[in-house]
Amino acid sequence: EIVLTQSPGTLSVSPGERATLSCRASQSLTGSFLAWYQQRPGQAPRLLIYGASTRASGIPDTFSGSGSGTDFTLTINRLEPEDFAVYYCQQYGSSPYTFGQGTKLEIK
Amino acid sequence: QVQLVQSGAEVKKPGSSVKVSCKASGATFSNYAINWVRQAPGQGLEWMGGVTPIFGSSNYAQKFQGRVTITADDSTTTAYMELTTLTSEDTAVYYCARDDAGPQAFDIWGQGTMVTVSS
């Protein structure tokens, strides 16, 4: 089973600033089958990024993903109030399709 | 527009079973896989397994093997997740989520079904 470790657990950033979230895999993700999801309180997760760097439909370009192998990053530029949420990475190339434990992005 | 609509909240006794449904609308059902992901209160996301209707095959996380059954009915475009021998640790929100039958991310999610296990 591939273990995904996200850091930090909680990130405090001011609106308008940039947030950088990290996801590290316990083994190399061939094909870069790595996704990022946003989850707001009381809502289902929403797909933001797939294939490590491709934005999903309707996702603004303030969200960007990068990385390969075992190290991946989600960057959110010009933070809006609605961006403060929990973010999860997921690998979907090898069953079981594991998630990281999440990073809570909070307003500083 | 594709939507996944799940059945309502459930309250179950320890040792019993629960079956949650997930109805797809707005797309050809068979072309996709339907996954089930759960989230215990205040916790993260946990993939339980999935089904690919076009192949009629299911795939489960080892943690749930023998206790979970995921099926799909193409005629009603509905997927089901049945979990048996419930304990309080199964109290969670259960989500269904679609992927495009291949290594694909989960692009459409149901609204979630709260399952509470309590005596």
Side-chain angles (χ1 to χ4, degrees):
Chain A
E1 172 174 325
I2 297 175
V3 177
L4 298 180
T5 303
Q6 293 186 239
S7 60
T10 302
L11 182 61
S12 300
V13 184
S14 300
E17 298 293 303
R18 173 188 300 169
T20 303
L21 288 66
S22 175
C23 176
R24 176 164 290 177
S26 60
Q27 57 187 274
S28 182
L29 302 187
T30 55
S32 291
F33 296 127
L34 189 286
W36 290 93
Y37 300 86
Q38 176 193 68
Q39 188 177 34
R40 295 172 176 146
Q43 296 186 15
R46 177 174 71 140
L47 176 65
L48 300 174
I49 301 286
Y50 63 93
S53 62
T54 302
R55 277 188 300 278
S57 175
I59 302 302
D61 62 6
T62 53
F63 290 87
S64 63
S66 62
S68 63
T70 61
D71 290 300
F72 299 88
T73 300
L74 174 69
T75 301
I76 313 169
N77 289 308
R78 302 186 301 278
L79 282 163
E80 299 282 351
E82 60 268 25
D83 297 334
F84 292 93
V86 179
Y87 292 83
Y88 295 94
C89 60
Q90 179 213 20
Q91 67 81 18
Y92 54 92
S94 174
S95 180
Y97 305 135
T98 47
F99 292 87
Q101 81 279 17
T103 290
K104 181 179 181 181
L105 179 59
E106 64 176 27
I107 299 175
K108 186 174 182 180
Chain B
Q1 182 163 344
V2 179
Q3 276 192 309
L4 298 177
V5 180
Q6 300 183 221
S7 50
E10 303 262 13
V11 179
K12 294 293 183 179
K13 299 286 189 187
S16 67
S17 301
V18 68
K19 191 170 187 177
V20 181
S21 68
C22 171
K23 181 169 177 60
S25 62
T28 302
F29 186 64
S30 294
N31 290 354
Y32 300 96
I34 297 292
N35 298 271
W36 290 88
V37 176
R38 78 176 186 179
Q39 185 171 39
Q43 303 300 309
L45 303 170
E46 182 175 35
W47 180 79
M48 301 176 68
V51 61
T52 306
I54 194 170
F55 299 127
S57 61
S58 301
N59 177 29
Y60 303 118
Q62 187 168 7
K63 173 179 179 176
F64 299 100
Q65 283 275 4
R67 214 161 62 89
V68 69
T69 304
I70 296 173
T71 57
D73 184 341
D74 202 20
S75 66
T76 60
T77 64
T78 303
Y80 300 91
M81 185 284 299
E82 183 173 25
L83 188 62
T84 62
T85 320
L86 294 169
T87 72
S88 58
E89 295 188 352
D90 295 315
T91 294
V93 176
Y94 290 77
Y95 294 102
C96 61
R98 185 191 82 165
D99 77 66
D100 196 1
Q104 298 288 346
F106 300 170
D107 62 345
I108 304 292
W109 293 67
Q111 83 275 19
T113 297
M114 181 71 209
V115 175
T116 303
V117 183
S118 174
S119 55

